[in-house]
Amino acid sequence: MSFPSQYAAPVEKSAPQRDGERTRQRAIQVAAAHISANGFHKMSIAAVAVEAGVSQSGLLHHFPSKAALLSAVLDEQERSDSEFLFGDGEPPLGWDAFDALVALAAHNSTRPQWVQLFVRISAEATAPTHPGHPWIRRHYDSVRSWLVDAVEHGKANGSIQRGAPTRLIVESTAALLDGIQQQWVLAPETVSMVDNVRFHVETLKKSWG
Amino acid sequence: MSFPSQYAAPVEKSAPQRDGERTRQRAIQVAAAHISANGFHKMSIAAVAVEAGVSQSGLLHHFPSKAALLSAVLDEQERSDSEFLFGDGEPPLGWDAFDALVALAAHNSTRPQWVQLFVRISAEATAPTHPGHPWIRRHYDSVRSWLVDAVEHGKANGSIQRGAPTRLIVESTAALLDGIQQQWVLAPETVSMVDNVRFHVETLKKSWG
DNA sequence: GTCTATACCTCGATAGAC
DNA sequence: GTCTATCGAGGTATAGAC
């Protein structure tokens, strides 16, 4: 699940468009599609260049290396999800945070490519030498921070029991999100992301709410 | 999580060792290590051959293609996990099945390479063109069948409430297992697989037991 | 900012001797 | 069953003209 925030490193709004900005944006979209399909390792910048309508060198003018292209794709992903979850406001806290995850699951059900991209990268990038490794670490730290804050906040205002195990609630929720996405990518017709996330969240509420 | 059974296609015991059986086994181990580290796409049969102490052609004598080598690795993985979970007996049913998953998590905590291998493959192989795709589909079907049977059995003998949502219990459990493995691969010191799996299972028992 | 041309590498697989 | 030699394809990145 991809849902960072101000808890992560800030993402600057992309600069105003010059001439090649169109090409740049197209390349990012094409690259995202390729990574979604087969992962970063199998994506070739030659193929991306063709589909984006530029030569390979033209592409490498905008992104000096394959890794740089990946970074651009990941930043785009981060920006998009953060926008959906938080808009321009504050991140939801308490159980509202968990309800927001249910909403995100519903949103993601409408864009399989996004989910696939995240599934691919989050597995590949656990390797320390992977160019996306720093990104994925930041991502998990960000999610964890947000959810820990959410639970602490709920405990403070009484909506969550004081004795609730914060760490386990946070970790198991993140795990469920990632795992259900993987199953969904494999069999979108047989698995419902929303039902499973809601089931998990409702179970937590019943136990600790 | 890798834990198939007689629910999956049967795995024949490997044939008695000829001359090259040693080489074959060594190659499987080396290949497993490479896939664990960087995934199937980045594994090169040349590198595997060197580490296994044979030439590339020597390796390709035992495994006619890279995909065949992958199959051998996956069968080995399947055999190992199935043995741990079920031994030579019947698969556990009812809540016992879920307790067995907690035990498996504990076992897996002692062999990071196994877990990494599964994390890598289960993400890569969701792509329909991946050589491991048929395997991963069988794997999930197998797990699902087993756990569905386990819940139905529990309902029949009264240990699980009749109204419990079988599908959601099964899917969310599988999702949690996969997701927590991914987090653990990324940060083994900060995340406990056992604690999270146990937490999930205990929560299920409290809600539907 | 975009192109052509190319250097240089790694890879999977095959041919054929021993 | 293992080797050497090699083919052909595809990959990233650079050089330099326009």
Side-chain angles (χ1 to χ4, degrees), chain A residues 84-151:
Chain A
F84 174 82
L85 266 182
F86 311 126
D88 289 335
E90 289 295 305
L93 295 175
W95 291 122
D96 288 352
F98 293 84
D99 292 336
L101 295 180
V102 178
L104 179 63
H107 184 47
N108 282 344
S109 296
T110 68
R111 42 177 197 171
Q113 200 198 73
W114 250 239
V115 178
Q116 274 195 36
L117 174 65
F118 184 74
V119 167
R120 295 276 139 70
I121 289 298
S122 59
E124 268 187 351
T126 52
T129 58
H130 194 284
H133 190 70
W135 185 88
I136 199 74
R137 291 202 84 93
R138 267 193 297 115
H139 173 76
Y140 274 107
D141 287 348
S142 160
V143 170
R144 172 185 291 266
S145 296
W146 170 43
L147 290 182
V148 166
D149 284 1
V151 173

Side-chain angles (χ1 to χ4, degrees), chain A residues 9 14 21 24 32 34 42 69-70 72 85 95 104 109 133 139 141 148 163 173 176-177 206:
Chain A
S14 56
E21 190 59 20
R24 206 188 128 88
H34 276 240
K42 276 213 87 179
L69 179 53
L70 173 65
L85 266 182
W95 291 122
L104 179 63
S109 296
H133 190 70
H139 173 76
D141 287 348
V148 166
T173 299
L176 181 115
L177 289 167
K206 268 182 221 154

Side-chain angles (χ1 to χ4, degrees), chain A residues 37-38 41-42 119-120 122-123 126-127 129 133 136-137 140 144 165 167-169 171-172 174-176 178-180 182-183 185-187 190-191 195-196 199 203-204 207-208, chain B residues 37-38 41-42 119-120 122-123 126-127 129 133 136-137 140 144 165 167-169 171-172 174-176 178-180 182-183 185-187 190-191 195-196 199 203-204 207-208:
Chain A
N38 292 309
H41 289 317
K42 276 213 87 179
V119 167
R120 295 276 139 70
S122 59
T126 52
T129 58
H133 190 70
I136 199 74
R137 291 202 84 93
Y140 274 107
R144 172 185 291 266
R167 277 177 57 105
L168 291 175
I169 289 174
E171 287 169 3
S172 70
L176 181 115
D178 289 345
I180 204 62
Q182 208 165 82
Q183 287 184 53
V185 167
L186 194 62
T190 36
V191 175
D195 289 351
N196 273 281
F199 173 68
T203 304
L204 288 179
S207 298
W208 311 103
Chain B
N38 292 309
H41 289 317
K42 276 212 89 180
V119 166
R120 295 276 139 71
S122 58
T126 53
T129 58
H133 189 70
I136 199 75
R137 291 203 85 93
Y140 274 108
R144 171 185 292 265
R167 279 177 56 104
L168 292 175
I169 289 174
E171 287 168 3
S172 70
L176 181 116
D178 289 345
I180 204 64
Q182 207 164 82
Q183 286 184 53
V185 167
L186 194 62
T190 37
V191 175
D195 288 352
N196 273 281
F199 173 68
T203 304
L204 288 178
S207 298
W208 311 102

Side-chain angles (χ1 to χ4, degrees), chain A residues 42-106:
Chain A
K42 276 213 87 179
M43 174 190 88
S44 93
I45 55 177
V48 171
V50 169
E51 277 182 51
V54 284
S55 70
Q56 187 172 339
S57 299
L59 179 62
L60 285 171
H61 169 75
H62 295 281
F63 309 94
S65 72
K66 195 185 170 186
L69 179 53
L70 173 65
S71 288
V73 170
L74 293 179
D75 286 348
E76 179 68 19
Q77 166 110 346
E78 194 156 18
R79 199 194 50 71
S80 160
D81 281 12
S82 171
E83 190 176 308
F84 174 82
L85 266 182
F86 311 126
D88 289 335
E90 289 295 305
L93 295 175
W95 291 122
D96 288 352
F98 293 84
D99 292 336
L101 295 180
V102 178
L104 179 63

Side-chain angles (χ1 to χ4, degrees), chain A residues 176 180 183 190-192 195-196 199-200 203, chain B residues 93-95 97-98 101 143-156 159-175 200 204 207-209:
Chain A
L176 181 115
I180 204 62
Q183 287 184 53
T190 36
V191 175
S192 164
D195 289 351
N196 273 281
F199 173 68
H200 180 77
T203 304
Chain B
L93 294 175
W95 291 122
F98 294 83
L101 295 180
V143 170
R144 171 185 292 265
S145 297
W146 169 43
L147 290 182
V148 166
D149 283 1
V151 173
E152 298 295 345
H153 184 269
K155 286 185 181 180
S159 60
I160 299 180
Q161 293 177 24
R162 300 243 169 225
T166 303
R167 279 177 56 104
L168 292 175
I169 289 174
V170 170
E171 287 168 3
S172 70
T173 300
H200 179 77
L204 288 178
S207 298
W208 311 102

Side-chain angles (χ1 to χ4, degrees), chain A residues 147-170:
Chain A
L147 290 182
V148 166
D149 284 1
V151 173
E152 298 295 344
H153 185 269
K155 286 185 181 180
N157 74 15
S159 60
I160 299 180
Q161 293 176 23
R162 299 245 168 225
T166 302
R167 277 177 57 105
L168 291 175
I169 289 174
V170 169

